[in-house]
């Protein structure tokens, strides 16, 4: 038995669907979700800035929570900082989240796949290497969608289904016009609109994400299991928590939602 928590990290609410999938597979694990709201959004930051700020955050969490596993539930953070984090914390298993290029390339008939992500993810060499390795025969179209990150983080809870559908179909049409028939949701925030994307894509475009793969990978690395199923969401920064945070936490059956600086 190992009651230490599995810690999930994202810039905001994006990693919660990943955490939800992990909790579905292993409901008795203790989970700490950390939304780095103080540094949101990650997408416009440089690789160096992200690597530095994540090293500081992970160091704090290691001291305070002694995690048995860390999941970077954010594509932008993973492509930018995973290698540096693994080098800085060699005794901790760190699972990253990167665009699901492989299944998208395998499924494409037109040989054109799309990646919807942040500018940072699209431009990083990690993503280029993923394409070279897993989609060498494909043409890849990347579209950066910082406004969709903001929409999910700030407006999702109050949004209507029609607003969400219009957001998703807007991007689907742009990819369709480029001849894309396999689309990768390469930002964890976009999973909140997974149903809307699938609906807009219809029968002729398939939409892929890495949620199941990341949750399974994390589960496979655990050497000993937890028994409490305790779940806490922490938010960085000092701004008081808005009601929306409690509603996001509620969506994933997370009991407490606290400011990290207030936590002991
Ligand atoms: N959720 C993050 C990702 O998967 C990015 C959001 C942000 O820009 O902060 O890339």
């Amino acid at each position: 038995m190992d009651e230490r928590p599995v810690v999930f990290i994202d810039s905001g609410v994006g990693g919660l669907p990943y955490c939800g999938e992990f909790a579905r597979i292993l409901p008795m694990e203790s989970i700490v979700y950390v939304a780095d709201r103080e540094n949101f959004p990650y997408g416009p930051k440089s690789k160096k800035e992200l690597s530095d700020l994540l090293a500081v955050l992970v160091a704090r969490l290691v001291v305070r929570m002694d995690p048995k596993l860390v999941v970077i539930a954010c594509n932008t953070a993973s492509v930018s900082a995973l290698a540096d984090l693994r080098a800085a914390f060699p005794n901790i298993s760190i699972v990253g989240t990167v665009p699901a290029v492989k299944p998208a390339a395998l499924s494409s008939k037109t040989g054109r796949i799309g990646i919807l992500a942040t500018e940072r993810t699209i431009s990083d060499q990690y993503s280029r290497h993923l394409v070279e390795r897993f989609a060498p025969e494909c043409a890849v179209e990347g579209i950066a969608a910082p406004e969709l990150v903001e929409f999910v983080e700030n407006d999702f809870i109050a949004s209507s289904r029609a607003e969400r559908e219009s957001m998703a179909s807007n991007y689907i049409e742009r990819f369709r016009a480029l001849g894309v028939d396999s689309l990768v949701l390469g930002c964890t925030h976009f999973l909140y609109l997974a149903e809307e994307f699938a609906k807009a894509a219809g029968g002729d475009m398939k939409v892929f994400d890495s949620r199941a793969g990341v949750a399974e990978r994390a589960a496979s690395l655990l050497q000993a299991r937890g028994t409490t199923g305790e779940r806490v969401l922490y938010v960085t920064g000092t701004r008081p928590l808005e009601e929306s945070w409690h509603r996001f936490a509620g969506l994933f059956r997370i009991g407490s939602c606290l400011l990290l600086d207030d936590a002991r």
Side-chain angles (χ1 to χ4, degrees), residues 7-10 36 42 47-62 69-97 126:
V7 172
F8 285 72
I9 301 173
D10 179 48
D36 189 12
Y42 280 175
K47 191 178 181 84
K48 167 93 171 73
E49 271 177 286
L50 288 169
S51 179
D52 290 350
L53 71 85
L54 283 155
V56 172
L57 180 59
V58 172
R60 273 179 87 187
L61 298 174
V62 166
L69 180 74
V70 171
V71 180
I72 307 293
C74 173
N75 295 264
T76 308
S78 299
V79 300
S80 305
L82 201 50
D84 289 352
L85 290 174
R86 286 186 174 141
F89 302 96
N91 299 325
I92 297 181
S93 296
I94 304 180
V95 175
T97 301
Y126 196 122

Side-chain angles (χ1 to χ4, degrees), residues 101 105 113 115 124-138 140:
V101 167
I113 69 172
I115 302 180
D124 196 89
Q125 58 174 10
Y126 196 122
S127 303
R128 281 206 295 280
H129 288 159
L130 281 177
V131 169
E132 279 162 20
R133 182 157 171 220
F134 296 117
E137 314 279 294
C138 291
V140 179

Side-chain angles (χ1 to χ4, degrees), residues 9 16 24 70 74 93 124 138-140 164 175 188 196 209-210 245 260:
I9 301 173
L16 281 166
R24 196 186 62 74
V70 171
C74 173
S93 296
D124 196 89
C138 291
V140 179
R164 297 198 288 270
F175 281 111
T188 57
E196 287 82 356
D209 66 65
S210 58
W245 281 100
L260 184 63

Side-chain angles (χ1 to χ4, degrees), residues 184-197:
V184 182
L185 300 181
C187 169
T188 57
H189 278 73
F190 303 164
L191 288 240
Y192 284 86
L193 274 71
E195 265 179 42
E196 287 82 356
F197 275 113

